[in-house]
Amino acid sequence: MSVPRWYAAAGPAFLAALLAVDTQVGLGVQVALGVLTWAVLLGAIWPLRAIVRAQVIGVVLFATVAEVTGSLVWGVYRYRLHNLPLFIPPAHGLVYLSGLALAAVVRTRLLVAAAATGSIGWGLAGLTVLPRLDVAGAMCVPLLCVFLWRSQFRAAYAGVFVVVAALELYGTSIGTWRWATELPGLGIPDGNPPSGVASGYVWFDVMALLVAPWLVNATRGVRARLAPAAA
């Protein structure tokens, strides 16, 4: 699952600039930012192996479903213009690539330890000292810890956690999006951002890793069937 190591810095830098610009523009420019982000993602995955491209596609698909459900339908969080910005789906792909690159830059044991310590510490802080009580976030932290402990892809999950945590803290601080004080309909207190949001990304990655081989094989099968017809 190797990607260029410089993606570890380039991805977060691009996304940080993107979110900052978004806070200053209207819907028209936001759409243009979306087109730009899709172009950046396509350029980033173009030189990569087919299996990694398939993983990124899987992350984008599953994350988009989660975004529509969590933001537009459930209202757990809202973006500044109360829509789903066009740049959000491809941004999830860039986050995944950045996490993979970070996993290649930092030693696995150190990265996993940092992710585990950070997630547990954040979860406990949300239950004790942070300004907003964060029960919902703390409930999700054990999920990440299980995958960091048991999965062969623990380095990738840890890298994604670090990138997501940084972007969540940054994005909420500048007002690109904001989390509800409690889960709508459930009344469970939630942070802004919740400590477990980065842990939730594990599900996108797990599902993407599961479907990626199928996507690659399906694509090869289609090409094989089309080749005789083209000849």
Side-chain angles (χ1 to χ4, degrees):
M1 297 192 300
S2 62
V3 300
R5 294 190 172 195
W6 58 270
Y7 281 19
F14 171 80
L15 292 172
L18 173 74
L19 298 180
V21 172
D22 178 67
T23 63
Q24 307 299 316
V25 301
L27 181 59
V29 177
Q30 188 184 79
V31 171
L33 292 175
V35 173
L36 172 63
T37 308
W38 277 107
V40 170
L41 177 63
L42 293 175
I45 67 174
W46 185 261
L48 304 181
R49 294 175 55 201
I51 189 65
V52 180
R53 292 198 299 268
Q55 291 167 8
V56 173
I57 292 172
V59 167
V60 171
L61 291 175
F62 289 111
T64 301
V65 172
E67 288 280 354
V68 171
T69 303
S71 181
L72 300 182
V73 178
W74 194 4
V76 178
Y77 56 93
R78 295 292 186 188
Y79 289 97
R80 184 176 58 90
L81 300 181
H82 297 275
N83 62 345
L84 179 59
L86 185 61
F87 60 76
I88 290 298
H92 282 289
L94 293 175
V95 165
Y96 180 70
L97 290 174
S98 301
L100 290 185
L102 186 61
V105 172
V106 182
R107 287 188 304 170
T108 297
R109 181 173 297 180
L110 178 60
L111 186 59
V112 170
T117 303
S119 63
I120 293 172
W122 191 356
L124 291 175
L127 296 175
T128 55
V129 299
L130 291 181
R132 274 176 51 165
L133 183 61
D134 183 18
V135 177
M139 291 169 60
C140 297
V141 170
L143 170 67
L144 176 65
C145 293
V146 169
F147 281 100
L148 291 177
W149 175 43
R150 299 291 296 176
S151 176
Q152 62 177 318
F153 302 114
R154 60 177 62 88
Y157 298 148
V160 170
F161 169 84
V162 172
V163 175
V164 172
L167 289 174
E168 276 288 341
L169 291 168
Y170 174 73
T172 52
S173 69
I174 63 176
T176 308
W177 62 85
R178 183 172 182 81
W179 291 78
T181 56
E182 59 183 36
L183 298 183
L186 299 178
I188 301 175
D190 205 14
N192 183 49
S195 57
V197 64
S199 305
Y201 264 71
V202 169
W203 283 115
F204 304 156
D205 302 342
V206 169
M207 296 305 297
L209 290 168
L210 288 175
V211 304
W214 179 86
L215 289 174
V216 172
N217 291 333
T219 301
R220 289 173 177 170
V222 171
R223 289 177 177 174
R225 286 192 293 271
L226 291 178

